[in-house]
Amino acid sequence: MCGIAGYVGKDIVLPILIGALERLEYRGYDSAGVALIEDKKLIVEKRKGKIRELVKSLWGRNYGAKIGIGHTRWATHGKPTNENAHPHTDEKREFAVVHNGIIENYLELKEELLKEGVKFRSDTDTEVIAHLIARNYKGDLLEAVLDTVKKLKGAFAFAVITVHEPNRVVGVKNGSPLIVGIGEGENFLASDIPAILPYTKRIIVLDDGEIADITPQSVNVYNFNGEPISKDVMITPWDLVSAEKGGFKHFMLKEIYEQPKAVNDTIKGFLSTEDTIPFKLKDFRRVVIIACGTSYHAGLVGKYWIESFTGVPTEVVYASEFKYADIPISDKDLVIGISQSGETIDTKFALQFAKEKGAFTVGLVNVVGSAIDRESDFALYTHAGPEIGVAATKTFTAQLTVLYALAVRESGDRDNLIRLLEKVPSLMEITLNSSEEVEKVSDKYLKRKNFLYLGRYLNYPIALEGALKLKEISYIHAEGYPAGEMKHGPIALIDENMPTVLVAPQDRVYEKMLSNLEEILARKGTVVSVGLKGDKVLKEKSADFMEIPKVDEPITPFITVVPLQLFAYFIASKLGLDVDQPRNLAKTVTVE
Ligand code: M6R
């Protein structure tokens, strides 16, 4: 939900900001802009559309500015237009602001400013910040920001510069992410780590209610009362290579191929810290998993593992529903919030709510230092590296890895089950080696408008995940269903125009899946199946068969999901769609 970048230092700022915005573009991409200060004048350039549109508009301009802020937007207030693009300025164009999040009381503030005669240029909530800072400015940007944040309500982060102090960027964090990158004679602000990876690995993660005041030589952090705060500097394990495409056409494809490594690194990470986990699932009366989107699907698979390996009843709830549903929660419950980004606001709020009710909260995140990491009672990590494609892939299988390892830790057969998990990376490699077969299958389905995805037991959530991948990147309607439910409704949809993707490894529900297959064929439906190598029945009866290697039942979801990710990828890519930045979506959803 919007990416913010800021720089002050020894180098020319424009290419630094553009590079940072390109690495943040996954957060939002309906408009982009920069503000620079050169010769004590503010230069603002902003454009509707992707960052390439901004770059085109800047073509041939050689600015020498060494301070600036930039923004890539996912619209909340105001349509994506040049006027609504950030940065926003005050009336005299002396202050420029880039913002992520929502100022909930902006209408009230805007009313007051309008009464005072302020003229607004945009429909955004952000513009009030620029006007308020300008009005509060009495010679010290930090003071003006401190006076301004007291009036703002909502979850937000912003960065501001002013022509009056052309050596200073001030950043505020309150609910949306903001980090400081520490360089040599230069310092950075950004919404996320990949933005600044080419320049530094030394990072300060700001907490809510904190303000960073940066110059080329200094970084000072204050609370909203203006009191200085001492912060730890973290060294990020991520590197630039992991945040670049590395020869792949899209980040999504690269990330699908990175799954063996992501799972392997996550297994190692988990096993090396297993002894520090301060709880047992069995100590609780119930486990509640809260998450959104793909992370929710990982939670659904986790439920089967936790219940089967530990016997602890487990519920999986959409984070956006959790706190509104009167679910009884107490200190007898363990609540696990799963979030790749660690910043999804629904998940964050749901965890905060569970904590208030006395539950022990655990965050399962990919981003160290993210809000959910810091706010949970305990954090577990996936070690997938940065995921840039909006469609989650490698973080999903890394999440599965942690959930599986956590569950089997309390089973009587832990060592054998971990050995099974350790086979996953090589089984994934084998599956990825057959990507050409999946590509050929996908060629036949480019023109279909609707798909049904069916799976049962451990592979029911995989059917949901396969359908989500297809709809979010190809804009083809796809519905995931538990296969046993087909006869209770979706079967009415089956005809020659509606292909069904059947996830059917030879597990405890295989025979039932074959019955579904027959029922579909009897209604002239087309079946694309995912099944084990050597499954002659499935292969013969399906119109198309996507083969995976032989795999033991408990670990099937790790492998069955791979052809489904590839299938969605090839369809979207062949349709010429923007696979990494599908329309209307953002990688991290920081609004409710
Ligand atoms: O960062 P999170 O895991 O909390 O994100 C949750 C969802 O927004 C995310 O999984 C979303 O559904 C993806 N676009 C799925 O590919």
Side-chain angles (χ1 to χ4, degrees):
M1 302 272 111
C2 302
I4 292 178
Y7 174 87
V8 58
K10 54 189 174 6
D11 289 327
I12 291 180
V13 69
L14 188 56
I16 296 174
L17 283 182
I18 296 293
L21 292 182
E22 281 169 346
R23 284 183 294 280
L24 288 174
E25 200 171 18
Y26 69 87
R27 299 180 66 86
Y29 31 84
D30 56 46
S31 51
V34 290
L36 325 172
I37 300 173
E38 187 159 277
D39 301 330
K40 293 208 162 185
K41 280 208 189 90
L42 200 61
I43 299 156
V44 177
E45 190 64 37
K46 48 193 198 171
R47 279 287 172 276
K48 179 186 168 191
K50 299 218 168 192
I51 290 165
R52 59 176 173 263
E53 300 305 321
L54 174 69
V55 171
K56 270 191 226 158
S57 72
L58 287 163
W59 193 248
R61 299 205 219 160
N62 294 315
Y63 295 120
K66 296 183 176 173
I67 175 169
I69 52 178
H71 189 265
T72 178
R73 180 169 187 242
W74 186 86
T76 57
H77 294 64
K79 287 184 187 147
T81 59
N82 288 349
E83 293 71 34
N84 289 335
H86 299 215
H88 291 282
T89 58
D90 65 309
E91 285 179 292
K92 291 189 193 157
R93 293 185 186 270
E94 292 175 346
F95 297 81
V97 173
V98 287
H99 158 227
N100 170 27
I102 291 179
I103 307 300
E104 285 170 3
N105 59 335
Y106 89 100
L107 277 177
E108 197 182 300
L109 297 168
K110 191 170 176 175
E111 282 291 298
E112 284 170 22
L113 289 162
L114 285 169
K115 273 188 206 147
E116 289 173 27
V118 173
K119 295 212 167 35
F120 278 77
R121 300 188 190 97
S122 75
D123 308 318
T124 64
D125 51 343
T126 309
E127 196 179 336
V128 296
I129 308 176
H131 294 302
L132 285 172
I133 292 176
R135 290 173 110 69
N136 288 328
Y137 188 75
K138 295 180 193 79
D140 185 324
L141 184 59
L142 177 65
E143 292 295 330
V145 170
L146 283 167
D147 286 342
T148 302
V149 289
K150 290 190 182 97
K151 296 195 162 169
L152 305 178
K153 288 189 190 144
F156 54 83
F158 67 84
V160 54
I161 52 173
T162 175
V163 293
H164 300 297
E165 297 176 69
N167 240 354
R168 190 178 197 187
V169 184
V170 173
V172 175
K173 163 161 166 59
N174 195 45
S176 301
L178 194 64
I179 57 157
V180 180
I182 300 172
E184 302 284 331
E186 58 185 358
N187 288 305
F188 306 79
L189 286 176
S191 296
D192 201 357
I193 297 168
I196 54 175
L197 276 178
Y199 309 101
T200 183
K201 289 179 138 233
R202 299 176 64 221
I203 280 152
I204 292 175
V205 179
L206 295 178
D207 284 299
D208 288 343
E210 291 183 350
I211 301 183
D213 181 4
I214 67 168
T215 70
Q217 307 300 343
S218 65
V219 172
N220 291 299
V221 179
Y222 302 90
N223 63 22
F224 282 4
N225 294 321
E227 294 152 353
I229 295 175
S230 149
K231 299 287 290 181
D232 291 337
V233 176
M234 162 188 133
I235 310 293
T236 175
W238 290 0
D239 59 25
L240 186 59
V241 176
S242 58
E244 290 184 331
K245 275 191 210 152
F248 284 87
K249 189 174 169 199
H250 294 105
F251 277 111
M252 182 182 175
L253 189 60
K254 177 184 175 234
E255 288 159 2
I256 290 172
Y257 273 86
E258 281 174 343
Q259 290 183 105
K261 180 171 172 6
V263 170
N264 199 31
D265 290 352
T266 303
I267 297 173
K268 282 194 198 141
F270 184 92
L271 295 181
S272 66
T273 52
E274 194 177 4
D275 294 342
T276 66
I277 298 175
F279 61 86
K280 286 244 163 70
L281 300 171
K282 285 182 182 167
D283 293 340
F284 294 88
R285 74 166 174 186
R286 179 176 65 154
V287 172
V288 180
I289 299 177
I290 48 183
C292 305
T294 289
S295 298
Y296 173 81
H297 297 155
L300 288 176
V301 181
K303 168 189 161 74
Y304 289 116
W305 284 327
I306 293 172
E307 290 184 338
S308 135
F309 296 131
T310 72
V312 182
T314 303
E315 263 182 70
V316 190
V317 187
Y318 280 119
S320 52
E321 289 291 318
F322 181 74
K323 80 180 212 199
Y324 302 102
D326 295 330
I327 299 172
I329 291 287
S330 74
D331 57 1
K332 296 190 177 64
D333 299 310
L334 178 79
V335 177
I336 304 177
I338 309 177
S339 173
Q340 175 284 128
S341 61
E343 298 287 348
T344 298
I345 210 138
D346 289 322
T347 312
K348 186 174 123 167
F349 283 172
L351 273 177
Q352 286 169 352
F353 181 76
K355 203 173 186 174
E356 280 162 23
K357 297 271 173 192
F360 187 79
T361 57
V362 176
L364 168 51
V365 300
N366 192 46
V367 182
V368 177
S370 57
I372 291 173
D373 174 13
R374 283 171 297 129
E375 289 178 17
S376 308
D377 292 317
F378 187 75
L380 294 163
Y381 300 102
T382 51
H383 297 268
E387 186 176 70
I388 312 289
V390 164
T393 51
K394 63 175 176 173
T395 54
F396 174 69
T397 43
Q399 289 166 346
L400 293 185
T401 305
V402 174
L403 291 166
Y404 177 96
L406 192 66
V408 304
R409 182 171 166 253
E410 292 177 36
S411 93
D413 201 17
R414 183 241 178 228
D415 294 353
N416 280 332
L417 289 163
I418 287 289
R419 270 195 284 280
L420 209 53
L421 179 65
E422 284 169 338
K423 288 185 186 171
V424 166
S426 57
L427 290 165
M428 282 178 152
E429 295 281 7
I430 297 169
T431 311
L432 288 165
N433 287 341
S434 310
S435 70
E436 275 181 22
E437 298 307 314
V438 180
E439 186 172 0
K440 278 185 208 148
V441 176
S442 71
D443 281 339
K444 299 191 201 168
Y445 294 91
L446 300 179
K447 295 211 170 113
R448 298 303 181 111
K449 300 280 179 249
N450 298 288
F451 278 81
L452 189 62
Y453 280 65
L454 298 179
R456 203 161 176 159
Y457 179 55
L458 279 171
N459 284 288
Y460 153 53
I462 300 304
L464 295 180
E465 177 59 9
L468 176 62
K469 288 291 88 90
L470 186 68
K471 68 186 131 193
E472 71 178 329
I473 60 169
S474 73
Y475 319 142
I476 295 172
H477 171 241
E479 214 167 326
Y481 245 90
E485 281 291 299
M486 183 181 78
K487 56 189 177 291
H488 298 289
I491 197 164
L493 295 167
I494 305 276
D495 63 13
E496 57 277 17
N497 300 315
M498 172 86 154
T500 302
V501 178
L502 217 63
V503 191
Q506 284 162 2
D507 56 8
R508 68 180 74 174
V509 290
Y510 174 68
E511 299 297 334
K512 306 276 174 218
M513 293 299 295
L514 288 186
S515 303
N516 288 125
L517 173 65
E518 296 295 351
E519 287 155 12
I520 296 165
L521 295 181
R523 285 153 185 88
K524 299 202 178 98
T526 309
V527 171
V528 181
S529 59
V530 174
L532 298 194
K533 187 180 167 84
D535 186 334
K536 287 196 186 124
V537 181
L538 205 57
K539 193 169 182 176
E540 273 168 30
K541 301 214 168 205
S542 307
D544 289 288
F545 180 63
M546 300 194 279
E547 180 180 285
I548 58 167
K550 290 214 163 112
V551 54
D552 294 280
E553 179 182 276
I555 57 166
T556 51
F558 289 100
I559 311 302
T560 48
V561 76
V562 175
L564 300 186
Q565 294 167 337
L566 288 167
F567 184 66
Y569 169 77
F570 286 125
I571 289 187
S573 172
K574 280 157 194 269
L575 290 175
L577 297 169
D578 194 340
V579 170
D580 287 331
Q581 293 168 355
R583 70 183 180 202
N584 305 339
L585 286 170
K587 181 76 179 160
T588 311
V589 183
T590 52
V591 290
E592 256 195 301

